[in-house]
């Protein structure tokens, strides 16, 4: 269920509110372009700024828009174990297929605290759990041995690894059952991640170039790393541009340039600055519209 190109979808805003029309259109575009699952209300979706009602709206929109065509993964992690359990239950009520649970941020739990947190969430969860390890944002790292222990839980089925450490992929693969899924949380190293044993990427860049990202993942999963590398070469300027300012500022700017949604973000995120906008403009100029939409991605990569 969880593999391939899985965009960490932005939450579009208009005049301070969730732009439901733009969100529905983004979901339809992503599915049409070949994305294999949608991750909603994560970091790129500005989840910490969403009210409970807005979070419901975003997850419900994903479920309705996908209509079973692709899995919907709901970002459910908080720095409260009880709050996370409640949110996972709500995601299940809304029809999500899986829950993404981030390392508890700010609290900086010990190894024992991490094990207890994720096990408590998984024990209570009606949904499969994707652990989201992003020490750069959460201030706590789930080491390989701890992840291996968590992977033994029947409902903890995947990890989104945003450490950028490719050696971890092989180490974790050797400590877990073959069915445990490892997903990159970092676009620039996604090809290398798969080569080490990963099965896909929870991608920021796929917001903007879903067809290319889906084609890259199809090639990598088929073992065609020549094609995957050529696609990665084309995407690399965009990968870089989207993180020149705090995410998702540059990503929303790119989507506005493509006519997909407004560039509007919520504080404490601010709009992309001059340098980031220029880099996004240059990256988009190198990718024609058919390639971005996914209509000619394989032919364009040859």
């Amino acid at each position: 269920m969880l593999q391939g190109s899985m965009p960490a979808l932005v939450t579009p805003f208009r005049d301070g509110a969730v732009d439901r029309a733009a969100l529905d259109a983004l979901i339809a575009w992503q599915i049409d372009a070949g994305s294999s699952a949608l991750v909603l209300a994560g970091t790129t979706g500005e989840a910490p700024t969403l009210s409970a009602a807005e979070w419901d709206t975003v997850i419900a929109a994903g479920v309705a828009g996908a209509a079973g065509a692709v899995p919907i993964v709901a970002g459910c992690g908080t720095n409260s174990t009880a709050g996370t359990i409640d949110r996972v239950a709500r995601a299940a009520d809304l029809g999500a297929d899986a829950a993404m649970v981030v390392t508890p941020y700010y609290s900086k739990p010990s190894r024992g605290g991490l094990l207890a947190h994720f096990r408590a969430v998984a024990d209570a969860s009606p949904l499969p759990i994707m652990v989201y390890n992003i020490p750069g944002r959460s201030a706590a790292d789930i080491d390989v041995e701890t992840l291996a222990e968590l992977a033994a839980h029947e409902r903890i089925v995947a990890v989104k690894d945003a450490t950028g450490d490719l050696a971890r992929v092989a180490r974790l693969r050797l400590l877990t059952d073959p069915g445990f899924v490892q997903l990159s949380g970092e676009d620039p190293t996604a090809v290398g991640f798969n080569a080490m044993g990963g099965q896909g990427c929870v991608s920021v860049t796929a917001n903007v170039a879903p067809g290319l990202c889906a084609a890259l993942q199809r090639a990598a999963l088929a073992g065609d790393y020549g094609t995957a590398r050529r696609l990665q070469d084309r995407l690399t300027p965009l990968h870089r541009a989207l993180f020149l300012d705090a995410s998702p500022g540059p990503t929303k700017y790119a989507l506005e340039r493509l006519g997909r949604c407004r560039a509007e973000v919520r504080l404490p995120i601010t709009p992309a600055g001059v340098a980031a906008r220029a880099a996004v403009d240059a990256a988009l100029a190198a990718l024609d519209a058919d390639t971005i939409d996914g209509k000619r991605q394989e032919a364009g990569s040859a």
Side-chain angles (χ1 to χ4, degrees), residues 12 36 49 79 114 117 137 148 150 163 168 171 188 192 204 214 244 251 253 263 265 267 273-274 279 284 289 297:
S36 55
T49 73
N79 64 343
L114 289 169
H117 171 79
R137 287 183 182 265
L150 292 174
T163 66
R168 293 172 65 116
R171 290 175 56 209
V204 173
L244 286 178
T251 301
Y253 171 74
V265 291
L267 289 172
V274 173
L284 291 179
Q297 65 268 25

Side-chain angles (χ1 to χ4, degrees), residues 10 12-13 19 22 26 252 255-263:
V10 301
F13 301 125
D19 187 343
L26 286 173
K252 283 191 165 180
L255 287 168
E256 184 173 77
R257 287 294 312 277
L258 295 174
R260 297 288 174 179
C261 71
R262 288 189 177 184

Side-chain angles (χ1 to χ4, degrees), residues 52-68:
E54 289 173 330
W55 186 90
D56 280 8
T57 294
V58 169
I59 304 305
V63 171

Side-chain angles (χ1 to χ4, degrees), residues 84-93 96-99 121-129 155:
T84 301
I85 288 171
D86 289 345
R87 185 149 285 190
V88 172
R90 181 60 179 157
D93 289 343
D97 299 288
V121 173
D123 285 345
S125 176
L127 297 175
I129 299 292
R155 279 187 290 281

